[in-house]
């Protein structure tokens, strides 16, 4: 500004012009900052950005999963389903492999739908899971007096689903692969449906007791029919929920809540009894070394410690930080108005109870694998305990949020601080989306090659051929799912005969001379 010069203007006028310019510029900057602060402080812009960004990883998985095709034992389920039908297949697997019939029924149903149903199952699972979470969260938030419960429920639902998928070892094995999805992820969705049903029935002013009991009992049994691990975990889950009802709910809701939870518990116990007495359970256990009860307890404790250590150190640290920050933020900006301060020790108590409940549920879940197989469950099974761990993170974040909002006279956070907080929240989903979509090209190649092989084999069978030879796939989703060694083909493994049966062929070979 020392060289500021206007020809023909005296020095005094120069000073006045310089002062006016500085004042005008400073005023514009000040008004711009106030505008940004206002937009950020009202949270509307941040909420819109969060919904968009948090939905991106889910959209990426939805797009990639459309390239899913039958893998590994999907072929076996398809052959049995074609021979026995869905109900007959449930009976077959109940007698010969597993005491849980809902997952085998779902796998059989999808296999009869062919590769199209296989490709759409992950997307439909995601949509149903997210929808249930949003509905359940909306009803809870509205009851608790949150502002804009629909928007906040959408943010929360996207955050929970994204954090769960981002915190597991292998999303292809848990979500994309039909066998993993139908056993674990779909069971997780059914568990969420049971929770939403309970929320609706408990808060409903007028309800039909008989119908409520039938629905919760039926869903309790249904959830227990997906996997033995989930069947076992249901029991302490219902008991903990009953304890929470006694301690937290008003008397007007307490009796109804206990009634409904009790019926769900009975449904879960029936599913557990059915699984334990199934002939297929004995067949499956004979494939593993028997473990006595003392070793089951020790192995459960060991596997529980290993799960938390591996998950938090290797897979889910970022996802857990995301849900904690997200939950704290939504409570801070949209939580109910408080009439008195919340003591910090009460916040710590809530956090401690949440962590303890999470440990109990994860241990119960892993106990089934320790008893049935004598080892840690496979990577595909980790999605359910990770879901529990994610919900623990949500509880911790809520407690922190209430602590930040503890004073009814506390001033709102500055807009720039809110914007920085939101930036931290969106970084992880964006990076996750980029990682997921980086594999789209290879997965698309896999789907195109699989479809071409499928068409060629069906045409050969239609022409009367019962023997076939195919080229190796350049890319195979089984590699991503950890179901086969990279560079190998399904026809080189234990499911080769099942693939041949799937196409009604006596023999199907791999042409290793093809590149």
């Amino acid at each position: 500004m020392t060289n500021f010069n206007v020809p023909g203007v005296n020095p005094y006028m120069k000073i006045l012009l310089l002062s006016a310019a500085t004042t005008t510029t400073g005023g514009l900057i000040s008004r711009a900052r106030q505008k940004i602060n206002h937009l950020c402080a009202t949270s509307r812009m941040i909420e819109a950005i969060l919904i968009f960004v948090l939905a991106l990883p889910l959209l990426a998985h939805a797009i990639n999963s459309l390239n899913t095709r039958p893998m590994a034992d999907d072929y076996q389920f398809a052959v049995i389903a074609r021979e026995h039908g869905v109900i007959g297949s449930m009976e077959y697997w109940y007698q010969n492999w597993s005491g849980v019939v809902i997952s085998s029924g779902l796998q059989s149903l999808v296999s009869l739908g062919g590769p199209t149903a296989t490709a759409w199952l992950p997307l439909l699972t995601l949509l149903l899971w997210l929808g249930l979470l949003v509905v359940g969260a909306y009803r809870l938030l509205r009851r608790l007096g949150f502002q804009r419960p629909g928007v906040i429920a959408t943010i929360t639902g996207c955050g929970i689903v994204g954090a769960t998928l981002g915190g597991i070892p292998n999303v292809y094995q848990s979500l994309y692969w039909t066998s993993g999805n139908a056993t674990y992820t779909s069971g997780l969705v059914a568990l969420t449906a049971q929770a939403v049903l309970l929320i609706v029935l408990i808060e409903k002013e007028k309800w039909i007791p008989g119908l409520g009991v039938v629905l919760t009992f039926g869903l309790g049994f249904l959830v227990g029919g997906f996997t033995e691990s989930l069947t076992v975990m249901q029991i302490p889950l219902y008991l903990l929920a009953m304890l929470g009802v006694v301690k937290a709910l008003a008397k007007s809701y307490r009796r109804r809540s206990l009634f409904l939870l009790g019926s769900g518990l009975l449904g879960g116990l029936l599913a557990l009894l059915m699984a334990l007495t199934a002939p297929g359970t004995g067949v499956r256990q004979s494939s593993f070394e028997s473990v006595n009860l003392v070793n089951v307890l020790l192995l459960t404790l060991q596997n529980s410690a290993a799960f938390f250590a591996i998950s938090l150190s290797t897979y889910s640290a970022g996802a857990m930080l995301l849900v904690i920050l997200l939950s704290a933020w939504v409570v801070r900006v949209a939580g109910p108005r408080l009439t008195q301060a919340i003591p910090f020790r009460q916040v710590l108590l809530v956090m401690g109870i949440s962590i303890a409940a999470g440990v109990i549920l994860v241990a119960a879940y892993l106990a089934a694998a320790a008893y049935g197989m004598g080892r840690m469950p496979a990577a595909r099974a980790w999605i359910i305990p990770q879901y529990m761990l994610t919900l623990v993170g949500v509880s911790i974040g809520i407690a922190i949020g209430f602590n930040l909002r503890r004073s009814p006279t506390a001033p709102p956070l500055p807009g720039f601080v809110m914007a920085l907080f939101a930036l931290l929240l969106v970084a992880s989903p964006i990076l996750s989306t980029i990682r997921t979509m980086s594999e789209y090209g290879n997965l698309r190649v896999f789907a195109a090659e699989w479809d071409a092989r499928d068409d060629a084999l069906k045409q050969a069978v239609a022409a009367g051929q019962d023997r076939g030879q195919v080229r190796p796939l350049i890319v195979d989703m089984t590699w991503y799912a950890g179901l086969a060694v990279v560079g190998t083909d399904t026809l080189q493994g234990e499911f080769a005969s099942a693939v041949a049966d799937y196409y009604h062929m006596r023999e199907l070979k791999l042409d290793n001379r093809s590149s």
Side-chain angles (χ1 to χ4, degrees), residues 3 7 128 148 164 234 258 289 365 373 407 436 438 462 478 504:
N3 295 324
L128 184 57
R148 306 179 301 283
T164 303
Q234 270 200 115
L258 292 174
E289 294 184 10
Y365 181 86
M373 301 185 294
S407 173
T436 301
S438 67
T478 58
H504 302 282

Side-chain angles (χ1 to χ4, degrees), residues 383-458:
I383 190 168
I384 294 177
Q386 185 59 44
Y387 188 41
M388 297 298 106
L389 185 57
T390 301
L391 294 179
V392 169
V394 171
S395 300
I396 292 173
I398 290 173
I400 293 173
F402 273 117
N403 183 248
L404 293 174
R405 196 181 175 86
R406 64 185 184 277
S407 173
T409 59
L413 293 174
F416 280 108
V417 175
M418 296 286 288
L420 179 61
F421 200 58
L423 180 62
L424 293 174
L425 290 176
V426 302
S428 178
I430 289 175
L431 291 175
S432 176
T433 302
I434 293 172
R435 285 195 301 269
T436 301
M437 290 308 299
S438 67
E439 302 296 347
Y440 175 77
N442 286 335
L443 297 178
R444 190 72 205 104
V445 169
F446 159 72
E449 285 199 309
W450 192 97
D451 290 342
R453 175 190 280 189
D454 182 64
D455 290 340
L457 289 173
K458 287 178 179 177

Side-chain angles (χ1 to χ4, degrees), residues 16-300:
L16 288 174
L17 288 172
L18 180 59
S19 176
T22 304
T23 302
T24 302
T25 304
L28 289 174
I29 294 174
S30 177
R31 285 195 294 274
R33 181 175 296 174
Q34 290 175 2
K35 183 65 175 176
I36 293 173
N37 264 323
H38 174 71
L39 288 173
C40 293
T42 56
S43 304
R44 296 296 196 276
M45 178 182 292
I46 295 177
E47 289 168 359
I49 293 172
L50 280 176
I51 290 176
F52 174 75
V53 173
L54 291 172
L56 285 178
L58 311 187
L59 179 61
H61 284 301
I63 293 171
N64 275 359
S65 67
L66 291 175
N67 296 308
T68 304
R69 298 295 184 269
M71 296 180 282
D73 58 5
D74 291 346
Y75 293 101
Q76 286 184 326
F77 275 93
V79 171
I80 298 299
R82 197 165 54 203
E83 181 179 350
H84 298 279
V86 175
I87 302 300
S89 295
M90 295 167 70
E91 170 66 18
Y92 174 88
W93 294 112
Y94 183 78
Q95 294 290 336
N96 294 282
W97 187 247
S98 175
V100 288
V101 296
I102 304 301
S103 59
S104 60
L106 178 58
Q107 286 174 267
S108 302
L109 182 64
V110 172
S111 67
L112 289 177
T116 300
T118 299
W120 280 91
L121 176 64
L123 173 59
L124 296 176
T125 303
L126 272 179
L127 290 175
L128 184 57
W129 183 12
L130 178 60
L132 287 168
L133 277 173
V134 171
V135 170
Y138 170 76
R139 299 189 76 100
L140 276 178
L141 295 173
R142 185 185 61 177
R143 174 66 64 175
L144 294 173
F146 273 69
Q147 305 168 44
R148 306 179 301 283
V151 174
I152 300 302
T154 304
I155 292 173
T156 304
C158 289
I160 291 174
V161 175
T164 303
L165 294 178
I168 56 178
N170 194 315
V171 69
Y172 298 98
Q173 200 175 114
S174 298
L175 177 66
Y176 293 31
W177 182 34
T178 299
S179 292
N181 182 311
T183 304
Y184 300 102
T185 307
S186 293
L188 176 155
V189 173
L191 182 66
T192 306
Q194 175 73 310
V196 174
L197 175 65
L198 286 167
I199 291 170
V200 172
L201 292 176
I202 289 172
E203 73 164 358
K204 201 171 181 63
E205 295 296 333
K206 295 181 180 180
W207 70 299
I208 305 173
L211 179 61
V213 168
V214 170
L215 290 175
T216 51
F217 178 87
L219 260 179
F221 178 78
L222 179 75
V223 172
F226 280 94
T227 171
E228 294 87 349
S229 297
L230 188 54
T231 310
V232 173
M233 193 190 79
Q234 270 200 115
I235 309 306
L237 180 59
Y238 280 115
L239 294 176
L240 288 171
M242 289 178 176
L243 182 60
V245 163
V246 172
K247 294 293 184 181
L249 286 191
K251 289 184 179 180
S252 57
Y253 291 100
R254 194 176 299 165
R255 182 178 178 183
R256 179 194 304 181
S257 301
L258 292 174
F259 199 57
L260 292 170
L261 288 168
S263 62
L265 174 62
L266 289 176
L269 287 171
L270 178 61
L272 178 60
L273 178 64
M274 184 175 175
L276 289 174
T277 58
T281 300
V283 174
R284 188 174 187 177
Q285 281 188 294
S286 65
S287 303
F288 305 95
E289 294 184 10
S290 60
V291 183
N292 60 51
L293 292 180
V294 174
N295 287 336
V296 167
L297 177 60
L298 293 175
L299 189 57
T300 298

